């Protein structure tokens, strides 16, 4: 019965914390297309908070900005054009 002294040790793997996608200087606005386009999938859907890694407040502002941009036809409502390979 020779047990190790520390049976539950954490691995000493280092990890880098992911940088937040929205910095403090960025304005979440329907005109800021470079920022908004990061939070839309290939099909034109709004990505979830888990995928975006943003706060709840930021996600709400992103959603409102995307919807405003869609209404003003700056963004498509859906993008379901299938690419045909030849």
């Amino acid at each position: 019965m020779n047990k190790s002294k520390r049976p539950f040790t954490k691995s000493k793997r280092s990890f880098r914390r992911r940088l937040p996608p929205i910095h403090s200087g960025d304005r979440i606005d329907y005109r800021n297309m470079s920022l908004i386009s990061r939070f839309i999938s290939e099909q034109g859907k709004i990505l979830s908070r888990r995928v975006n890694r943003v706060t709840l407040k930021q996600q709400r502002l992103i959603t409102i900005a995307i919807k405003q941009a869609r209404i003003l036809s700056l963004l498509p409502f859906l993008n379901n054009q299938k690419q045909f390979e030849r």
Side-chain angles (χ1 to χ4, degrees), residues 5-37:
K5 294 188 179 188
R6 283 192 268 172
F8 301 109
T9 57
K10 287 187 178 178
S11 65
K12 302 235 175 184
R13 204 172 1 155
S14 65
F15 64 94
R16 247 182 64 175
R17 191 168 184 145
R18 287 185 68 175
L19 294 172
I22 299 176
H23 303 290
S24 58
D26 290 341
R27 277 189 53 120
I28 302 172
D29 198 6
Y30 68 94
R31 290 170 284 176
N32 194 350
M33 295 306 294
S34 60
L35 179 72
I36 287 176
S37 59

Side-chain angles (χ1 to χ4, degrees), residues 19-23 26-27 32-42 45-48 51-52 54 62 66 75:
L19 294 172
I22 299 176
H23 303 290
D26 290 341
R27 277 189 53 120
N32 194 350
M33 295 306 294
S34 60
L35 179 72
I36 287 176
S37 59
R38 284 189 247 160
F39 305 108
I40 298 175
S41 70
E42 298 255 330
K45 295 181 180 178
I46 301 171
L47 295 173
S48 68
V51 177
N52 289 341
V54 292
I62 289 166
I66 290 170
L75 282 175

